Amino acid sequence: MTKSIHNNLDRHKIAEIQPLMQIHQLSLFYNQKPAFKDVTLSIPQNSITAIVGASGCGKSSFLICLNRLSDLIPGCTVSGHIQLGTLNILSPKANTTALRRRIGTIFQKPNPFPMSIKKNITFPLKEHGVKDSQQRHNIVEQVLKDVGLWSEVKDRLQDNALTLSGGQKQRLCIARTLALQPEILLMDEPCSALDPISSGIVEDLILRLRQKYNYTIIIVTHNLAQAKRIADYTALFWVDKGCGRLIEFAPAEQFFNAPNNELTKAYVNGIKG
Amino acid sequence: MNLSGLKMIRQNQYGLDKVISLFFWLVPLIVTSLFIWILGDIIRGGIGQLNWAFLTTAPLDTGRQGGIAPILVSTLLILGVCLAVSLPIGIGTAILLAEFTPNHNWFGRLVRRSLDVLAGVPSIVFGLFGNAFFAKTLGLGFSILSGGLTLACMVLPILIRATETGLSAVPQEYRLSSASLGISRTSTLWHLLLPAATPGLLVGLVLGIGRAIAETAALIFTSGYVDRMPTSLLDSGRSLSIHIFDLSMNVTGGDANAYGSALVLILILLLINAIASYLSGKYSKTLKV
Ligand SMILES: Nc1ncnc2c1ncn2[C@@H]1O[C@H](COP(=O)(O)OP(=O)(O)OP(=O)(O)O)[C@@H](O)[C@H]1O
Ligand SMILES: [Mg+2]
């Protein structure tokens, strides 16, 4: 209930909201074959943007451009322009380590490292120069509380993270990303590998985080109901002639109730997809 | 098809299942009994020789009498040289191949192909190469150093392949999620990938040591025959396997000590095996905590 009020508040403010990330004519190719082409949109600050669309339309590929994870995939090339504040993300000179600290990623399959629960969080922190172990411990406690895992694991911080349940693993992965204090969270179907209860917990968590820390969140989801529940903005990707396209990007209310595009209409009414 | 026909097929399948599972039990049984037979033979022949004096005294009367102390020392030194050289080069190459060379890259393909060819080269060829290159060209002569370096060339392909396989077996998700947390490639390699690949590396190490310690042909031409206690790495030294070969082929009446030496060789191999599996178990545990 509070959620929808919150959403509506935001929607009234759209006009004043600064775009945080501007994406212009973005295309991605796997070995010269385009996965998606010419995507242009602006991600509004402190909002949740949901990306929906049928399988294979390039949603995951879109996300991996935003933090240059695409660099790691052999044969993958990206063209276009992404601007984050003063930073030109696709510039070869951009510092990817710092960039990925600013833009955290949560993957579909929870993938904690094969280390202790605590080390999963402290290892990246150490990498980013948090030298004081007491400070690191405080951060561990803080982020585990943020994701609601603290009471469940506080007595077993030294246990292997792989012994956690699927939902707990995913929350640990979120915690380990939060520990780096990113500005933007990219989430690629963060709930789809989880059972309905864990999925609900993670979904609530996303909303709580946004409210508490004003994160900007971009979330890919196959679950239209979920997009409806949490998104402020929604984008629809669709495959056209073997290549993904951005069909519509609009405030969620408009997207679900009065879409401009016929395809969107069919999709949200469950006729397509 | 009617029901009874279906039933017959089922029964036939059960019969076939039984034959196949019998086969799959039989094969390991044969392999195991072969191993036990050889082991039994060596133990029977060698156990009478095995005592403290045998391990700590020098051979007498070209090995018919006395012990194997200098031979043990030479063997361990040759093995030490071999590992000191092959481990760093092997792990380094494996990292380069697995982490920094794309799969279809011509350089990676060339190196991998060469390694596969190298792994199949008969050891006598390595011996001749070691003799020509290390002993003659580099002027190391018949020495423990020449022998160790030649063995290093032999075990490198095994070590590299095992480590590379270990690294490739680490799920790609670890690399992606590590990068997504802004962790550098070096740290990812050091803290995440290498620990995860260690069990694979240890398997390669055991196989490599096994090949090195059992080697005769490659060492005859490089580390030589001399059964005195070596005083430096540039001394010639006789390895256990050459000692066994010499006693059983060239020395009449040397059979008892040949058996004794073979038993020691096998015990060393079993010991190394046990250490490696202990470490591998321990390592996968420490990684997890
Ligand atoms: N590493 C890769 N190499 C080559 N092609 C790829 C690679 N990853 C994805 N593709 C192709 O790019 C297209 C877009 O894939 P992508 O994973 O981005 O889709 P998606 O919208 O996330 O799908 P899903 O909803 O199933 O996750 C697909 O046709 C896919 O086959
Ligand atoms: Mg996807």
Side-chain angles (χ1 to χ4, degrees):
Chain A
M1 214 56 240
T2 49
K3 166 65 201 31
S4 72
I5 292 170
H6 181 76
N7 250 356
N8 289 335
L9 271 178
D10 263 6
R11 279 169 197 164
H12 288 303
K13 286 196 294 187
I14 285 171
E16 320 156 16
I17 287 176
Q18 279 287 316
L20 179 61
M21 198 189 238
Q22 281 157 309
I23 297 156
H24 187 70
Q25 294 284 307
L26 188 69
S27 309
L28 178 143
F29 305 83
Y30 292 112
N31 304 313
Q32 273 87 50
K33 193 182 164 297
F36 67 84
K37 247 182 172 166
D38 298 335
V39 171
T40 299
L41 72 132
S42 293
I43 305 290
Q45 199 158 13
N46 308 338
S47 63
I48 297 180
T49 301
I51 299 177
V52 296
S55 194
C57 62
K59 306 181 296 293
S60 303
S61 308
F62 175 71
L63 280 198
I64 61 168
C65 300
L66 305 184
N67 62 356
R68 294 268 302 270
L69 227 46
S70 49
D71 290 6
L72 266 72
I73 294 168
C76 177
T77 46
V78 176
S79 72
H81 190 91
I82 310 175
Q83 190 76 28
L84 172 65
T86 56
L87 177 69
N88 172 4
I89 289 182
L90 295 181
S91 152
K93 278 180 280 178
N95 174 348
T96 50
T97 309
L99 170 70
R100 289 173 190 152
R101 187 179 178 170
R102 287 178 73 181
I103 306 182
T105 310
I106 312 295
F107 297 91
Q108 173 174 15
K109 198 169 143 238
N111 49 8
F113 299 134
M115 307 170 173
S116 73
I117 295 171
K118 184 171 176 180
K119 235 179 139 187
N120 260 280
I121 300 172
T122 55
F123 167 46
L125 280 175
K126 271 190 217 163
E127 274 302 303
H128 288 282
V130 182
K131 296 229 164 54
D132 179 38
S133 79
Q134 184 58 42
Q135 191 189 352
R136 282 200 304 267
H137 183 83
N138 292 343
I139 295 177
V140 168
E141 184 172 341
Q142 175 62 45
V143 292
L144 284 178
K145 278 180 177 159
D146 278 344
V147 299
L149 207 54
W150 178 250
S151 58
E152 290 163 55
V153 302
K154 66 172 187 287
D155 299 321
R156 46 182 289 212
L157 290 175
Q158 298 306 327
D159 284 8
N160 189 339
L162 301 184
T163 60
L164 294 171
S165 77
Q168 289 174 325
K169 278 184 194 158
Q170 191 62 302
R171 279 183 285 154
L172 177 63
C173 290
I174 296 176
R176 135 186 117 171
T177 304
L178 295 185
L180 300 176
Q181 300 184 304
E183 299 158 40
I184 301 177
L185 287 180
L186 307 178
M187 302 182 143
D188 193 350
E189 305 183 40
C191 301
S192 62
L194 308 179
D195 66 273
I197 297 201
S198 307
S199 166
I201 293 175
V202 171
E203 191 180 310
D204 285 344
L205 171 64
I206 295 170
L207 289 172
R208 234 173 339 109
L209 287 174
R210 198 283 286 278
Q211 223 152 351
K212 186 167 172 191
Y213 294 109
N214 278 328
Y215 281 119
T216 302
I217 296 172
I218 305 177
I219 179 172
V220 170
T221 176
H222 271 292
N223 185 336
L224 266 187
Q226 183 180 59
K228 223 177 214 167
R229 281 194 299 271
I230 68 177
D232 304 312
Y233 297 85
T234 308
L236 174 69
F237 276 58
W238 206 259
V239 182
D240 180 33
K241 301 193 191 78
C243 162
R245 298 274 180 179
L246 174 64
I247 302 297
E248 180 154 6
F249 175 65
E253 212 166 60
Q254 183 191 332
F255 184 93
F256 285 105
N257 298 327
N260 289 325
N261 194 294
E262 285 305 312
L263 200 57
T264 317
K265 208 171 281 172
Y267 186 70
V268 298
N269 292 328
I271 300 165
K272 264 203 163 147
Chain B
M1 188 185 304
N2 60 25
L3 209 63
S4 69
L6 208 64
K7 224 173 177 177
M8 250 170 67
I9 290 181
R10 283 238 180 92
Q11 272 166 359
N12 274 342
Q13 273 181 344
Y14 280 133
L16 192 66
D17 264 3
K18 272 195 186 132
V19 172
I20 290 178
S21 59
L22 189 71
F23 177 75
F24 280 122
W25 274 103
L26 222 56
V27 173
L29 206 69
I30 293 173
V31 173
T32 316
S33 41
L34 206 63
F35 171 70
I36 290 175
W37 184 29
I38 296 175
L39 194 67
D41 187 49
I42 290 176
I43 291 178
R44 207 155 30 80
I47 196 84
Q49 306 305 114
L50 200 60
N51 54 43
W52 190 241
F54 184 67
L55 296 177
T56 53
T57 58
L60 296 169
D61 190 12
T62 61
R64 289 186 192 90
Q65 302 294 317
I68 54 166
I71 287 139
L72 262 185
V73 171
S74 299
T75 307
L76 295 181
L77 285 177
I78 292 171
L79 199 61
V81 170
C82 163
L83 292 182
V85 174
S86 60
L87 268 182
I89 297 181
I91 295 178
T93 312
I95 289 174
L96 185 77
L97 280 179
E99 298 301 319
F100 295 95
T101 320
N103 264 335
H104 305 292
N105 176 293
W106 65 268
F107 173 73
R109 281 218 309 247
L110 183 73
V111 176
R112 283 192 189 94
R113 183 64 56 82
S114 321
L115 286 174
D116 287 345
V117 171
L118 218 54
V121 169
S123 54
I124 188 94
V125 177
F126 277 100
L128 293 174
F129 162 76
N131 182 271
F133 185 65
F134 296 120
K136 301 228 171 83
T137 309
L138 295 188
L140 300 175
F142 279 92
S143 65
I144 288 172
L145 206 53
S146 292
L149 290 174
T150 307
L151 285 191
C153 297
M154 271 182 64
V155 302
L156 257 181
I158 303 174
L159 269 183
I160 294 172
R161 276 307 210 176
T163 314
E164 197 199 346
T165 311
L167 281 173
S168 322
V170 180
Q172 179 68 9
E173 285 119 53
Y174 287 165
R175 295 181 185 83
L176 279 178
S177 53
S178 183
S180 79
L181 291 163
I183 295 168
S184 69
R185 279 185 96 170
T186 329
S187 289
T188 306
L189 188 66
W190 189 249
H191 293 288
L192 209 60
L193 304 183
L194 277 182
T198 300
L201 172 71
L202 285 172
V203 170
L205 195 61
V206 169
L207 289 176
I209 291 178
R211 185 160 186 205
I213 208 169
E215 192 44 52
T216 341
L219 289 178
I220 289 180
F221 301 110
T222 51
S223 68
Y225 253 77
V226 178
D227 63 0
R228 275 193 317 271
M229 182 63 88
T231 53
S232 84
L233 291 183
L234 286 169
D235 264 359
S236 167
R238 182 190 281 200
S239 79
L240 261 175
S241 47
I242 293 185
H243 191 56
I244 297 166
F245 172 74
D246 193 51
L247 282 181
S248 53
M249 300 310 252
N250 304 334
V251 181
T252 43
D255 279 354
N257 271 357
Y259 267 112
S261 309
L263 186 56
V264 172
L265 187 65
I266 285 195
L267 288 179
I268 293 178
L269 270 178
L270 288 179
L271 184 72
I272 289 171
N273 228 312
I275 293 175
S277 52
Y278 168 75
L279 281 182
S280 144
K282 194 176 140 171
Y283 215 92
S284 8
K285 259 184 227 135
T286 48
L287 173 68
K288 282 169 190 166
V289 171

